[in-house]
Amino acid sequence: MRQIQIEWVELNKKVTADLIPDNNPELCDLLWERLPYTSIQTHALVSGHHLYHIAPIAELVTTKAQFKVPDRTKSDDGTIFLSQLQHMAIKYGKLSEYLPAAPVGQVIAEHIPILKEAGEGCWDAVYRTKQVIEVRVSRKGDDSKKFYFPTFEEIKREPVRSLLKEIQDETWRTWVKPPQEILDIHAGAIRSGAGSCGQYFTTMLFVNGETRPLGYSGFGGLMQLCKNPEITLDTLQKVAPHFVKTPAEFLGYCGLDTLWSFTDRTLKLLPDLKSKEELFALVSMLALYTNQLNAWNLHFFPWAEGKAYTFATQSETLKKEVFLDVAAQHARSAKPISFTDME
C-alpha cells in the first residue's frame, strides 16, 4: 500500500493517507510520480467542508478519470479526489456539492480528527484572517524539500523556450508567495483605476469571475485540444485567441498586467509555432499560472462580507415567502405594500 503525507505547515497539522488505485490507477500513478510538491491551501467556498489546492501537475488536465463517484457528498470523510481542474481535494465533513469526482485515496481513520482541525483552520484563514497556509504533499517518510514543478525541458526552440521559461519562473516565484498584483488589487492600488464610481469592490469581483474560467476552461481547454489527434496545429492557431484573448486582456485592465503580457506574447508567437507540443507547453504553464492566480485571489477576497448573506431560518424563509406572495398581490392591484399587511 502506497501512503502519502499531507502537511499544512502554518497550522502544524499533518495527516497520512492511503492511495487506493483500484478504480483510478492512472491518476494514482501520476500523483505518486510527481511527489513531493507544495502549494497554497484553499477551502471550498460553495461546496461545504471541502479542502482543495492547485497541484502543479499539468497532466491532470488531460488525464481522464476511469471512475468517478456519482455523488461525492456520500463519500467518507477523508476521501481524496483528483480533478482535471488541477485540484487535489479532500472531503472532511458535510458537503452540498454532489457533482461526480474521481477518488484516489483515503486519510487513515486515526487522522480524521486532525484533518477536521486542519479544515477548520483553513476555513478561518480563507474567510477571516487571510493567513497564507502552505500545503505539502509527499510520499510517507520522504522529508525532501526539493519539490516537483513542471519545466517542459524538451522545448528547446527560441523564442518559445525563453517565453516558456519566463512564465515558469514567475509562476514558481508566486507559487507560495502572494503576487504583488493580487495584493495591489485587493488594496485598491489598480494602475488603470478599474472600478466604477470611486470603489473597487466590483473590480475584485470581476477578477474573481474572469480568472477562474480563463484558467480552467480557456487554457485548460486548449491543453485538451492539443492532445486531440484529430485537431491540427493550424486549427489550434486559428481558434486559440478566441479562447483566451478577451478575458486575459480584461484582466490586464483590472490589474493582472503580467498575465495579459504573457498571454499577448503567446498569441503573437502562435503563427510561428512548429508543433502542437510547443503550444501545449505554453498553454500548460499559462494554465498553471492562471489557476494559481485564481487561488490567490480567492484567498484574499473579503468573504467575511458573506455574514450579511447567511441562509434564513425556516421561520424567516416562511415569512419571506408570505411577503413575496403579498407583494405579488399588491403588484397586481398597484397598492403600496408594507410588512404590516402580513400581520
Side-chain angles (χ1 to χ4, degrees), residues 4-239:
I4 64 173
Q5 181 175 277
I6 305 170
E7 177 185 8
W8 295 275
V9 178
E10 287 72 19
L11 297 178
N12 195 28
K13 303 289 184 185
K14 186 185 302 184
V15 299
T16 297
D18 296 323
L19 285 187
I20 304 175
D22 297 3
N23 293 315
N24 286 302
E26 191 174 355
L27 284 174
C28 286
D29 289 346
L30 178 59
L31 175 62
W32 188 256
E33 291 163 4
R34 296 295 183 265
L35 298 178
Y37 70 75
T38 184
S39 190
I40 60 163
Q41 184 62 63
T42 301
H43 192 290
L45 292 156
V46 297
S47 301
H49 294 83
H50 211 39
L51 294 172
Y52 76 94
H53 62 259
I54 305 297
I57 305 173
E59 297 91 341
L60 279 179
V61 178
T62 56
T63 303
K64 291 186 178 180
Q66 293 168 276
F67 168 78
K68 291 184 178 182
V69 293
D71 182 350
R72 74 180 77 184
T73 66
K74 298 177 181 178
S75 298
D76 293 336
D77 289 351
T79 302
I80 299 172
F81 305 97
L82 288 179
S83 161
Q84 286 187 289
L85 301 180
Q86 291 184 299
H87 291 170
M88 172 188 275
I90 313 174
K91 177 182 182 290
Y92 75 90
K94 184 178 179 180
L95 296 186
S96 59
E97 185 178 340
Y98 48 79
L99 300 180
V104 295
Q106 176 67 43
V107 174
I108 61 176
E110 56 266 40
H111 285 182
I112 295 297
I114 302 173
L115 172 64
K116 290 180 178 291
E117 291 174 0
E120 292 170 1
C122 292
W123 173 251
D124 191 52
V126 170
Y127 190 75
R128 190 178 62 86
T129 70
K130 302 306 174 184
Q131 177 189 24
V132 174
I133 296 175
E134 180 184 356
V135 59
R136 296 176 179 176
V137 184
S138 60
R139 299 178 184 183
K140 176 68 173 176
D142 180 8
D143 295 324
S144 171
K145 298 300 185 293
K146 186 178 181 181
F147 299 116
Y148 169 79
F149 203 73
T151 59
F152 298 98
E153 293 297 334
E154 68 276 12
I155 304 300
K156 305 290 186 183
R157 196 175 66 87
E158 295 293 354
V160 180
R161 178 71 231 168
S162 294
L163 176 56
L164 185 62
K165 183 69 164 53
E166 278 190 58
I167 303 171
Q168 176 200 340
D169 288 348
E170 179 64 13
T171 306
W172 179 245
R173 188 183 71 81
T174 58
W175 191 247
V176 293
K177 179 182 178 182
Q180 188 60 48
E181 288 175 339
I182 290 289
L183 296 176
D184 287 345
I185 290 170
H186 286 266
I190 305 169
R191 173 187 53 78
S192 66
S196 299
C197 301
Q199 56 77 50
Y200 62 93
F201 183 85
T202 50
T203 307
M204 293 191 296
L205 183 65
F206 272 72
V207 169
N208 177 53
E210 293 285 346
T211 310
R212 177 183 171 95
L214 176 61
Y216 293 165
S217 302
F219 291 123
L222 287 172
M223 289 174 68
Q224 296 195 37
L225 291 176
C226 283
K227 294 299 183 180
N228 188 326
E230 298 180 1
I231 298 178
T232 66
L233 174 62
D234 180 66
T235 298
L236 287 168
Q237 288 168 319
K238 289 182 173 68
V239 305

Side-chain angles (χ1 to χ4, degrees), residues 323 326-327 330 335-343:
F323 176 76
V326 174
H330 280 264
K335 176 185 175 183
I337 183 173
S338 71
F339 273 99
T340 57
D341 291 309
M342 300 166 53
E343 297 174 355

Side-chain angles (χ1 to χ4, degrees), residues 217-280:
S217 302
F219 291 123
L222 287 172
M223 289 174 68
Q224 296 195 37
L225 291 176
C226 283
K227 294 299 183 180
N228 188 326
E230 298 180 1
I231 298 178
T232 66
L233 174 62
D234 180 66
T235 298
L236 287 168
Q237 288 168 319
K238 289 182 173 68
V239 305
H242 301 287
F243 275 73
V244 299
K245 184 177 185 294
T246 297
E249 189 172 28
F250 176 75
L251 286 168
Y253 156 70
C254 289
L256 296 179
D257 296 293
T258 305
L259 173 61
W260 167 233
S261 174
F262 284 153
T263 305
D264 185 40
R265 291 164 63 191
T266 297
L267 294 178
K268 287 174 179 175
L269 265 183
L270 270 179
D272 300 321
L273 296 182
K274 303 300 183 185
S275 68
K276 288 168 67 175
E277 289 72 25
E278 288 183 340
L279 179 58
F280 181 80

